[in-house]
Amino acid sequence: MTKVLILGAAGKIARHAIHQFLEEEGVELTLYLRRSSRLKQQESDRVTVIEGDVTDTRHLQEVAQGQDVVYANLGGDDIEDQAKSVAAALEAAGVRRLIWISTLGIYDEVPGAFGKWNHQMLDGGYLEPYSAAARVIEGSKLDYTIIRPAWLTDRDEVNYELTQKGEPFKGTEVSRKSVADLVVKLAKDSSRDVRGSLGVDKPGTDGPKPSWY
């Protein structure tokens, strides 16, 4: 039985991942979020819902005890502080595997006109905290994988390609369902892309900006 702790479990990508995890045999989920009432209906013999804030390091450490994989679907202006707390809690709990959702552009890896547009949209308060949070995770002792999605859609599709850290980012958009599929695959294979950082986009979406702009 693989035990997966999902932080920020009410997020849109996380909800897709929860559904996909529960289609797999041998997976137990612990859903951690600030308002547990949002997911109470998910509780079952395979799903435990816990209310908490990831910046409460001691509580998170307690919850993380015995987990095999932690998937962090977090956001907000304090994302760097959240990253510090998650890294400290997991290291103290002896949990090594972390899947961390970030965003494209944290390494200035998006080329061309789209890269310039992405900076215009995300600089000045969004990209900088996510870059700092990624540096915290990369400086930890954890077996992390950072995921850097393109601009997100709610399309009902699983269609994506990957780029590694140090490679130019491809594409402009990707579905949340696709990102969730990658999360589940990484959780199932503890040796895949360890201490790696993956750009995720839908093939064929290259351009100066996402299609809806």
Side-chain angles (χ1 to χ4, degrees), residues 10-162:
K12 289 184 178 181
I13 297 172
R15 289 174 184 260
H16 283 295
I18 290 165
H19 178 76
Q20 292 187 42
F21 274 125
L22 292 177
E23 290 182 335
E24 302 282 339
E25 294 184 1
V27 177
E28 288 184 357
L29 300 179
T30 299
L31 310 182
Y32 191 86
L33 65 162
R34 288 175 177 167
R35 286 185 289 147
S36 60
S37 59
R38 298 178 68 185
L39 293 181
K40 273 296 182 184
Q41 74 280 4
Q42 293 275 5
E43 285 194 315
S44 69
D45 58 343
R46 295 176 61 195
V47 179
T48 301
V49 180
I50 297 178
E51 185 166 303
D53 189 314
V54 297
T55 59
D56 184 344
T57 309
R58 180 172 295 181
H59 184 232
L60 182 56
Q61 176 184 340
E62 294 172 356
V63 173
Q65 293 284 348
Q67 299 289 334
D68 298 304
V69 181
V70 177
Y71 154 43
N73 192 91
L74 305 171
D77 294 340
D78 65 340
I79 189 68
E80 183 180 4
D81 290 335
Q82 293 180 60
K84 290 177 180 177
S85 182
V86 169
L90 300 194
E91 288 177 2
V95 179
R96 297 195 60 86
R97 188 68 170 125
L98 171 66
I99 301 166
W100 178 268
I101 301 292
S102 184
T103 188
L104 77 169
I106 60 172
Y107 309 121
D108 197 24
E109 78 278 20
V110 185
F114 178 48
K116 294 178 181 178
W117 180 87
N118 194 63
H119 272 298
Q120 291 172 356
M121 298 296 287
L122 300 184
D123 284 353
Y126 184 87
L127 203 56
E128 297 85 352
Y130 275 84
S131 298
R135 288 194 294 271
V136 170
I137 299 303
E138 290 175 321
S140 74
K141 299 176 182 177
L142 302 174
D143 293 337
Y144 65 82
T145 304
I146 294 172
I147 296 176
R148 295 173 282 114
W151 286 66
L152 293 162
T153 76
D154 286 319
R155 292 192 181 95
D156 185 15
E157 63 183 13
V158 174
N159 183 13
Y160 60 95
E161 61 185 352
L162 304 176

